[in-house]
């Protein structure tokens, strides 16, 4: 019997197939999900389900659907989908949802992202612990295998998803742009032609040059994880060689989007957060914008300059979404290139963020490197991971080395060191790692501070 505590974590289900996560486990989770929703006061008649391009997806979905049916609920199966396409279905249909994906993880993994009606997340503080406990009990009960009536409806929502996104950002009037998109053999290869191309809607002033659009969950070209710089190299080279205006890289389930300028250099997710925040504040003056504590100091500065109210949050989608709902924030952004929108049910969507970037960039004449410079005010290290035997001791050593710094503990420890420089050090929830992010006014100061902290962390 599988130990579900190994695969059901703080935000989602994720494990290797079939040893940790298989059809028996998926069926139990399907039943447990419906039972959890009922226990919380809902009466779920239907669950909407989608899956990414991983080979194990259809079998896991079918098993999960049997579990949902056994619990007395019906299934709407939207088939192949990006995660934000599943969120669209959950939001527009006002149904609970289950997205089968392992995001950017390697090919042997699969998982589930669960949500309540309206794409509201299910995490460890909002029902996922109950799902794990119920599913574990079902796996232990040999008499819990009876199937209910087969109630599964197949429904294609790709065109409706594309039309909804097009209704939120008008790209019809921008200048012509040559855009290279690296889908990493993930779901961007399925959704980009529908949203940014002319597959289902009228053509836009965009010439889309595809890289690795073939759906292939074995990731034959590179991992679909744009957060790792080595996975951006193909896109960077293509942008430079083909003279493109902009490059876009999506992760495996296409809920995150990274941006490359015409020189092949990355535009930081903090700059994208600030840019999109300015656009949303132009539409909704005075609104609240959420940013996590790892984003650049430029983000709250630009939000205030544009008349908005910045609110600082812990890292992680469940915290961002909860803070957005509590404050009715119009937008939220993270350093990891997750972007959240009030007009998309407070859910994250890399595609909508990309459309905002294309609209802003295409509405003015400068090359992207010059246009983005307005939002890139400081030098940042990016996230640096260090394997440590005793994270608590290493954090204490860093704190002792900076006795004059102002420190807060919203998420790990954030040190303000007196000259506008800051760094955050936080422990991984799942691995023996410390994660370091550093920012300073210039690259030399950033490098000096980064190396000083790393020397202590790594002993």
């Amino acid at each position: 019997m599988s130990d579900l505590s190994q695969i059901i974590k703080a935000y989602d289900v994720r494990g290797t197939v079939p040893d940790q996560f298989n059809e028996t486990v998926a069926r139990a989770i399907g039943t447990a999900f419906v039972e959890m929703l009922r226990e919380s006061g809902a009466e779920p008649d239907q669950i909407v389900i989608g899956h990414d391009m991983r080979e194990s997806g259809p079998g896991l979905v079918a098993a999960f659907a049997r579990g949902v049916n056994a619990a007395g609920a019906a299934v709407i199966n939207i088939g192949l989908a990006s995660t934000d396409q599943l969120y669209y279905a959950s939001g527009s249909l006002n149904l609970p949802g289950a997205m089968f994906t392992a995001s950017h993880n390697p090919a042997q993994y699969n998982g589930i992202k669960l949500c309540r009606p309206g794409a509201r997340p299910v995490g460890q503080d909002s029902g996922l612990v109950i799902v794990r406990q119920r599913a574990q009990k079902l796996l232990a009960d040999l008499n819990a295998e009876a199937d209910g009536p087969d109630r599964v409806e197949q429904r294609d929502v790709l065109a409706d998803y594309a039309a909804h996104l097009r209704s939120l950002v008008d790209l019809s009037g921008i200048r012509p742009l040559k855009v290279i998109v690296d889908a990493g053999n993930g779901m961007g290869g399925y959704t980009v032609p529908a949203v940014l191309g002319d597959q289902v809607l009228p053509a836009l002033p965009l010439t889309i040059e595809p890289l690795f659009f073939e759906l292939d969950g074995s990731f034959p070209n590179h991992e679909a994880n744009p957060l790792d710089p080595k996975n951006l190299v193909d896109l960077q080279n293509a942008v430079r060689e083909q003279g493109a205006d902009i490059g876009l890289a999506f992760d495996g389930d296409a809920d995150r989007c990274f941006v490359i300028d015409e020189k092949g250099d990355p535009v930081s997710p903090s700059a994208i957060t600030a840019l999109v925040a300015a656009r949303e504040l132009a539409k909704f003056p005075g609104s609240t914008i959420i940013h996590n504590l790892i984003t650049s100091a430029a983000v709250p500065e630009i939000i205030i300059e544009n008349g908005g109210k910045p609110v600082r949050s812990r890292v992680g989608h469940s915290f961002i979404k909860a803070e957005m709902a509590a404050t009715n924030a119009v937008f939220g952004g993270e350093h990891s290139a997750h972007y959240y929108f009030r007009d998309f049910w407070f859910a994250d969507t890399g595609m909508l963020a990309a459309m905002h970037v294309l609209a802003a960039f295409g509405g003015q004449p400068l090359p992207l490197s010059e246009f983005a410079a307005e939002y890139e005010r400081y030098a940042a290290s990016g996230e640096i991971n260090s394997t440590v035997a005793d994270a608590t001791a290493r954090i204490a050593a860093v704190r002792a080395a900076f006795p004059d710094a102002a420190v807060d503990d919203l998420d790990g420890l954030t040190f303000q060191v007196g000259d506008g420089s800051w760094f955050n050090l936080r422990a991984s929830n799942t691995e023996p790692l410390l994660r370091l992010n550093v920012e300073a006014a210039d690259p030399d100061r950033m490098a000096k501070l980064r190396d000083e902290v790393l020397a202590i962390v790594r002993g």
Side-chain angles (χ1 to χ4, degrees):
M1 183 180 68
S2 298
D3 178 5
L4 298 188
S5 66
Q6 299 299 308
I7 66 169
I8 301 182
K9 301 292 189 178
Y11 308 124
D12 57 19
V13 180
R14 201 168 303 190
T16 53
V17 177
D19 54 316
Q20 291 182 312
F21 186 36
N22 52 45
E23 293 181 14
T24 301
V25 173
R27 186 192 184 284
I29 294 173
T31 297
F33 182 45
V34 176
E35 291 179 349
M36 180 278 291
L37 292 168
R38 287 207 179 104
E39 187 174 298
S40 64
E43 283 299 329
D45 295 323
Q46 293 177 305
I47 309 292
V48 60
I49 310 175
H51 65 87
D52 70 12
M53 65 290 144
R54 292 166 191 268
E55 187 177 347
S56 59
L60 293 170
V61 164
F64 183 92
R66 290 196 300 274
V68 170
N69 290 163
V75 165
I76 295 176
N77 184 356
I78 65 172
L80 279 169
S82 62
T83 290
D84 66 326
Q85 188 181 335
L86 185 280
Y87 290 154
Y88 164 77
S90 172
S92 62
L93 299 173
N94 198 33
L95 293 176
M99 176 64 195
F100 280 73
T101 179
S103 185
H104 60 276
N105 282 102
Q108 67 268 30
Y109 284 81
N110 212 325
I112 320 173
K113 296 179 179 179
L114 299 171
C115 61
R116 295 174 185 271
R120 289 179 294 132
V122 173
Q124 72 177 10
D125 297 326
S126 52
L128 199 53
V129 171
I130 297 172
V131 171
R132 188 191 74 218
Q133 293 169 342
R134 290 295 184 97
Q136 195 77 68
K137 184 177 179 181
L138 288 166
L139 289 172
D141 184 354
L142 297 178
N143 298 314
E145 291 296 322
D147 283 335
D150 184 2
R151 298 166 61 202
V152 179
E153 171 194 344
Q154 309 294 325
R155 188 180 301 185
D156 184 353
V157 301
L158 180 62
D160 292 339
Y161 157 79
H164 178 70
L165 292 182
R166 287 268 194 109
S167 75
L168 298 177
V169 178
D170 183 8
L171 293 170
S172 61
I174 65 172
R175 62 186 168 99
L177 296 174
K178 183 174 183 178
V179 186
I180 299 182
V181 180
D182 185 343
N185 299 110
M187 292 311 302
Y190 182 70
T191 57
V192 167
V195 180
L196 300 181
D198 59 359
Q199 180 175 295
V200 298
L201 295 167
L204 297 168
L206 303 172
T207 300
I208 303 293
E209 299 291 346
L211 268 184
F212 314 132
F213 270 37
E214 304 79 18
L215 300 182
D216 189 338
S218 70
F219 307 113
N221 296 288
H222 60 71
E223 287 185 357
N225 179 16
L227 197 58
D228 187 335
K230 72 175 182 287
N231 297 320
L232 294 174
V233 171
D234 290 321
L235 177 59
Q236 291 170 304
N237 289 338
V239 167
R240 286 188 288 256
E241 291 167 4
Q242 298 184 40
D245 296 295
I246 185 174
L248 302 174
F250 290 91
D251 68 344
D253 60 338
D255 64 347
R256 288 187 295 157
C257 181
F258 287 70
V259 179
I260 301 297
D261 71 21
E262 82 287 353
K263 296 180 179 179
D265 295 326
V267 180
S268 78
S270 287
I272 301 303
T273 296
L275 183 159
V276 178
R279 284 179 53 82
E280 292 288 66
L281 288 168
K283 286 194 298 182
F284 304 102
S287 293
T288 297
I289 307 287
I290 310 297
H291 65 97
N292 77 20
L293 78 172
I294 308 299
T295 56
S296 171
V299 173
E301 289 175 3
I302 291 169
I303 292 169
I304 291 169
E305 289 165 10
N306 284 271
K309 302 169 187 173
V311 172
R312 186 168 172 262
S313 167
R314 294 181 63 183
V315 173
H317 78 95
S318 64
F319 303 113
I320 295 275
K321 290 174 180 175
E323 198 70 57
M324 288 188 70
T327 62
N328 197 34
V330 69
F331 173 65
E334 294 203 80
H335 72 297
S336 55
H338 280 286
Y339 305 106
Y340 309 81
F341 296 84
R342 186 172 68 193
D343 53 13
F344 199 76
W345 300 280
F346 297 112
D348 42 328
T349 162
M351 188 69 74
L352 186 53
M355 294 172 73
H356 275 282
V357 172
L358 292 169
F361 171 46
Q364 55 81 58
L366 294 174
L368 183 56
S369 59
E370 296 180 31
F371 177 62
E374 176 184 348
Y375 304 97
E376 300 264 22
R377 296 181 177 180
Y378 306 106
S381 66
E383 192 151 271
I384 304 167
N385 292 326
S386 301
T387 301
V388 296
D390 187 339
T392 301
R394 292 296 89 209
I395 292 173
V398 172
R399 188 160 196 167
F402 292 88
D404 298 326
V407 182
D408 76 65
D409 60 356
L410 175 63
D411 193 349
L413 294 179
T414 301
F415 295 74
Q416 303 286 343
V417 295
D419 59 354
S421 304
W422 63 269
F423 66 91
N424 173 272
L425 194 63
R426 71 192 205 284
S428 167
N429 290 322
T430 57
E431 301 171 272
L433 297 176
L434 281 178
R435 307 189 191 280
L436 174 67
N437 284 266
V438 183
E439 185 174 79
D442 61 74
D444 289 343
R445 173 61 181 137
M446 183 278 293
K448 181 179 179 182
L449 181 58
R450 176 199 65 203
D451 293 348
E452 184 179 357
V453 178
L454 282 177
I456 303 167
V457 168
R458 295 175 177 176

